[in-house]
Amino acid sequence: MNQALKKPHALATVEPLLQVRDLSLLYGLERGCQDISFDLYPGEVLGIVGESGSGKSTLLSLLSGRLPPQRGSIGYRDKQGEWLDLYSASEAERRTLLRTEWGFVEQNPRDGLRMGVSAGANIGERLMAQGIRNYQQLRGAGLDWLSQVEIDPLRIDDLPRTFSGGMQQRLQIARNLVSSPRLVFMDEPTGGLDVSVQARLLDLLRGLVRELDLAVVIVTHDLAVARLLADRLMVMRRSRVVETGLTDQILDDPQHPYSQLLVSSVLQP
Amino acid sequence: MNDLSNSIKGGAPSRDAAYNFAYLDEQTKRMIRRALLKAVAIPGYQVPFGGREMPLPYGWGTGGMQLTAAILGADDVLKVIDQGADDTTNAVSIRRFFARTAGVATTESTPDATLIQTRHRIPETPLHADQIMVYQVPIPEPLRFIEPSETETRTLHALNDYGVMHVKLYEDIATFGHIATAYAYPVMVDERYVMDPSPIPKFDNPKLDMSPALMLFGAGREKRLYAVPPFTRVTSLDFEDHPFEVQKWEECCAICGSHESFLDELIIDDAGTQSFVCSDTYYCAQRVSQQEQDQ
């Protein structure tokens, strides 16, 4: 693997949060993803970029415990500092992880939200799953998180379907962050949004990531999103990682021909 | 025995020999009994069973009837109630069905019955240890309203992952200021399985807890059955700051004067005049005859 994979300023004393080794899942020749290895450190934002069909989303599903790989392993270091092998853990452990220490922001907020219940219930669901049985506390968390993601707290009892696309996406983010996760996966979080809404959402995300010291794995085909959010990039093509490195390094001085193509194809306004 | 029940009981009616005992064939009854044993062994767990066509439509109590048919013995005394009443269409026709196909004795008296098939109510008169309650259940899955996928709800049950159940109660409080679910109020059985107690009013939920009688639940359309064995802990879900409460009425029953029973509201004229009466007709009649005797 590339030398740049080792985070240059990651001190020997800081242990990674996520350790991925030789991860593979192939649907066909060069369809899916193969031989993926990397470490993710606490508070680090890793961007995965690449063309459609390059295996970005498959990789994200593998990482987030939704799809068992054919080969390879994923180790996660939990809050107690214990290493957990994701796919040899029980389904109950994986689910607990997904709703406590992890978050998953879907591209389409309708997949990540419960559209039939109010915004407050959406935010409170993770807390209820963790056993919080105090209505006032759930209410408080709902109001607090709505204002953190810049939604008017008065709308706490409104259904998500009455929200605009950008608000729904922000609500989805609040719903994931309420359990103070350490690691969040995002699948094109700014996908279906118009440019100005995208900018606001990115601004918000950047603030939250810094403030909460989140580790994030973000899949995107938008290099502007990657530049704004990611510390480190992995460029994927035809199921393999072709280049990894610091975001600026890759975007300003791409080495692999495909990375060069990707960077040069960004429209300059 | 009061005369109300005598008129219907009428000794042991003769059985129609054209049908097998209690309508279902022996293999089917055996299959249902096997599923029932499993249900009793895992309180609150929904056991699938091979539901059969019954000679009445789904939603009229086909699930409860199959369970009743499977456990009915020739010596049993059957009581059937619908919304607490012994004399409504559903109750009368199911009672007549088993009187004809099984030739069992029927009654309206709660203490005299050994088997009580019910829709929507648990009798006010306390049950005793050698009684079995059979409930008719429309939707056995308590998580269905929040989670439409059957595989997902099964996983949630298996992993004891019941956070979503409180989402519904949260919605109630957010919308109405209190938990507005008034019937089919979800319960936790033996601290393990969340169960839909069938559409009984939440007024009856406390009667499920540590009941000496065996409780069986059958859903005909969904082909699921489940059980609460005698003396099982059954707690209604709630929030710390919004605890579970049963309905209360300021009025008392217009017929028997009861303050303790579940009351039905009747509108008795075009001006909207209300009257409240016991929904449990046997309990009400019992109290009236008691009062007459005391005088």
Side-chain angles (χ1 to χ4, degrees):
Chain A
M1 266 289 151
N2 199 312
Q3 202 55 38
L5 196 105
K6 305 231 165 25
K7 197 180 179 187
H9 59 268
L11 304 169
T13 51
V14 179
E15 268 195 277
L17 198 60
L18 199 67
Q19 244 175 3
V20 179
R21 293 290 174 267
D22 299 322
L23 205 59
S24 296
L25 175 73
L26 287 177
Y27 305 109
L29 193 66
E30 298 190 331
R31 286 273 162 244
C33 60
Q34 54 184 323
D35 304 330
I36 313 274
S37 301
F38 66 89
D39 288 346
L40 184 73
Y41 288 84
E44 185 187 27
V45 180
L46 172 69
I48 303 174
V49 295
E51 61 194 355
S52 297
S54 61
K56 305 186 299 277
S57 294
T58 303
L59 177 57
L60 202 65
S61 298
L62 292 175
L63 292 178
S64 58
R66 296 175 163 197
L67 193 63
Q70 287 159 340
R71 203 150 47 77
S73 68
I74 301 170
Y76 170 72
R77 191 168 53 83
D78 66 15
K79 269 194 177 124
Q80 284 76 41
E82 307 259 329
W83 281 96
L84 181 82
D85 183 350
L86 195 57
Y87 284 100
S88 56
S90 69
E91 191 180 355
E93 283 177 299
R94 264 203 304 278
R95 279 183 173 240
T96 310
L97 207 57
L98 252 171
R99 65 160 190 254
T100 53
E101 298 189 19
W102 291 9
F104 197 109
V105 177
E106 307 267 2
Q107 174 173 9
N108 187 338
R110 278 180 288 277
D111 297 336
L113 291 172
R114 282 191 194 281
M115 298 304 280
V117 299
S118 69
N122 267 292
I123 296 178
E125 181 179 339
R126 276 177 169 236
L127 299 176
M128 291 185 241
Q130 286 172 23
I132 291 179
R133 296 284 176 268
N134 188 306
Y135 178 78
Q136 280 311 322
Q137 204 178 331
L138 294 165
R139 194 82 180 158
L143 292 167
D144 178 39
W145 272 99
L146 282 180
S147 55
Q148 286 213 45
V149 296
E150 297 166 16
I151 298 176
D152 184 355
L154 286 176
R155 302 206 57 180
I156 186 164
D157 293 331
D158 291 352
L159 293 180
R161 76 167 69 93
T162 66
F163 288 12
S164 71
M167 284 167 79
Q168 286 180 359
Q169 196 56 284
R170 278 178 279 148
L171 180 61
Q172 196 195 175
I173 289 164
R175 171 184 156 90
N176 274 287
L177 296 186
V178 66
S179 64
S180 339
R182 304 163 75 210
L183 174 58
V184 179
F185 301 97
M186 297 186 188
D187 191 0
E188 311 248 11
T190 58
L193 306 175
D194 76 56
V195 189
S196 62
V197 176
Q198 248 187 44
R200 262 182 76 197
L201 187 73
L202 284 172
D203 211 36
L204 176 80
L205 269 179
R206 195 162 58 160
L208 288 172
V209 164
R210 296 270 155 77
E211 192 183 318
L212 306 171
D213 200 25
L214 288 178
V216 178
V217 178
I218 181 168
V219 160
T220 181
H221 56 239
D222 187 340
L223 290 183
V225 171
R227 189 189 280 277
L228 209 59
L229 282 179
D231 300 319
R232 207 150 54 95
L233 279 188
M234 288 198 330
V235 182
M236 286 189 74
R237 188 182 185 226
R238 293 191 188 155
S239 78
R240 290 174 206 274
V241 172
V242 293
E243 188 170 356
T244 74
L246 295 177
T247 305
D248 294 346
Q249 196 182 327
I250 290 197
L251 294 183
D252 298 338
D253 182 20
Q255 301 295 312
H256 190 275
Y258 175 70
S259 310
Q260 291 169 357
L261 181 74
L262 200 69
V263 171
S264 63
S265 60
V266 172
L267 294 174
Q268 303 291 338
Chain B
M1 187 79 16
N2 65 45
D3 36 41
L4 226 168
S5 63
N6 269 338
S7 64
I8 299 210
K9 187 172 178 180
S14 60
R15 180 163 87 81
D16 188 336
Y19 294 101
N20 190 38
F21 180 80
Y23 185 76
L24 290 177
D25 63 281
E26 295 304 315
Q27 285 303 316
T28 300
K29 290 197 274 187
R30 181 186 265 195
M31 170 272 294
I32 294 173
R33 283 179 210 136
R34 262 200 298 258
L36 282 171
L37 287 177
K38 183 172 180 181
V40 170
I42 319 172
Y45 173 75
Q46 297 167 46
V47 184
F49 74 104
R52 299 288 189 259
E53 289 277 331
M54 294 300 278
L56 79 170
Y58 286 133
W60 287 40
T62 53
M65 282 174 76
Q66 289 178 73
L67 264 51
T68 300
I71 58 172
L72 198 63
D75 305 333
D76 270 317
V77 182
L78 180 69
K79 171 181 164 83
V80 184
I81 45 180
D82 169 14
Q83 309 269 10
D86 291 274
D87 51 3
T88 46
T89 317
N90 199 225
V92 169
S93 53
I94 292 175
R95 186 165 48 225
R96 203 166 50 195
F97 177 84
F98 283 113
R100 182 174 163 204
T101 58
V104 292
T106 57
T107 180
E108 292 196 356
S109 154
T110 305
D112 292 343
T114 57
L115 186 57
I116 304 175
Q117 180 171 338
T118 179
R119 169 174 181 255
H120 289 200
R121 281 309 309 278
I122 299 176
E124 307 284 359
T125 316
L127 301 171
H128 52 86
D130 45 8
Q131 288 182 312
I132 300 177
M133 290 284 295
V134 173
Y135 296 78
Q136 302 168 198
V137 183
I139 299 169
E141 180 52 74
L143 300 163
R144 180 65 67 238
F145 294 97
I146 199 93
E147 181 52 67
S149 153
E150 175 69 20
T151 36
E152 182 63 17
T153 54
R154 283 199 182 202
T155 314
L156 294 177
H157 281 296
L159 299 178
N160 201 353
D161 189 355
Y162 289 126
V164 289
M165 212 55 242
H166 276 82
V167 170
K168 184 168 186 290
L169 301 181
Y170 172 97
E171 273 302 270
D172 265 7
I173 305 176
T175 317
F176 304 106
H178 61 100
I179 299 177
T181 304
Y183 67 95
Y185 191 103
V187 292
M188 174 68 91
V189 179
D190 202 25
E191 291 169 22
R192 178 58 185 83
Y193 283 100
V194 165
M195 184 187 93
D196 181 344
S198 87
I200 58 171
K202 65 179 171 184
F203 180 87
D204 286 343
N205 274 16
K207 296 179 192 162
L208 289 166
D209 185 37
M210 299 306 272
S211 167
L214 170 64
M215 312 275 185
L216 305 175
F217 299 78
R221 181 178 3 226
E222 305 272 332
K223 299 178 174 51
R224 294 281 185 280
L225 56 84
Y226 48 102
V228 177
F231 302 106
T232 304
R233 284 160 301 172
V234 177
T235 44
S236 305
L237 302 181
D238 59 3
F239 285 104
E240 289 160 3
D241 43 354
H242 286 267
F244 172 77
E245 280 175 350
V246 298
Q247 293 101 322
K248 289 189 194 73
W249 290 263
E250 285 170 10
E251 298 79 4
C252 58
C253 172
I255 301 172
C256 74
S258 172
H259 285 282
E260 285 87 41
S261 71
F262 186 85
L263 300 179
D264 283 339
E265 179 188 342
L266 304 178
I267 304 295
I268 50 179
D269 60 22
D270 288 348
T273 312
Q274 301 162 317
S275 176
F276 289 84
V277 295
C278 290
S279 101
D280 187 338
T281 51
Y282 167 77
Y283 172 82
C284 198
Q286 187 71 10
R287 276 176 55 90
V288 170
S289 71
Q290 191 69 43
Q291 284 157 7
E292 280 166 1
Q293 273 175 28
D294 289 349
Q295 283 168 10

